[in-house]
């Protein structure tokens, strides 16, 4: 399986939408765990990297460095 490419401050779409109805998440911390923040309500969630990789649908916006 190909590893999906994402980095800090990218906006991603997950397989399931947040209960607030938004499906855009911003990556705000990366390490063994990844913290993502809902673009709709601002709620943040800490997810283990392995689980994040399986739940990630696609990268919507990439940050240019």
């Amino acid at each position: 399986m190909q590893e999906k490419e994402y980095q800090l401050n990218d906006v991603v779409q997950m397989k399931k939408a947040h209960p607030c109805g938004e499906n855009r998440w911003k990556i705000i911390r990366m390490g063994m765990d990844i913290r993502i923040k809902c673009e709709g309500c601002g709620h943040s969630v800490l997810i283990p990297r392995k689980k994040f990789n399986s739940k990630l649908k696609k990268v919507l916006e990439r940050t240019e460095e």
Side-chain angles (χ1 to χ4, degrees):
M1 188 172 140
Q2 183 182 357
E3 187 69 25
K4 297 180 178 94
E5 292 187 16
Y6 49 84
Q7 58 189 4
L8 195 62
N9 295 321
D10 282 355
V11 176
V12 297
Q13 180 180 6
M14 304 303 278
K15 290 182 180 176
K16 291 187 178 179
H18 191 246
C20 75
E22 186 63 56
N23 202 10
R24 294 171 53 91
W25 298 83
K26 185 173 186 176
I27 300 173
I28 58 174
R29 179 184 181 276
M30 290 182 65
M32 283 296 292
D33 297 323
I34 295 178
R35 185 173 295 275
I36 55 177
K37 183 177 180 181
C38 177
E39 294 278 284
C41 66
H43 185 258
S44 68
V45 180
L46 188 65
I47 306 173
R49 186 180 286 263
K50 187 173 181 178
K51 189 172 182 180
F52 177 82
N53 287 335
S54 68
K55 302 279 186 188
L56 179 65
K57 189 170 183 180
K58 63 183 174 181
V59 177
L60 299 174
E61 296 175 19
R62 295 190 186 278
T63 56
E64 300 297 324
E65 290 186 15

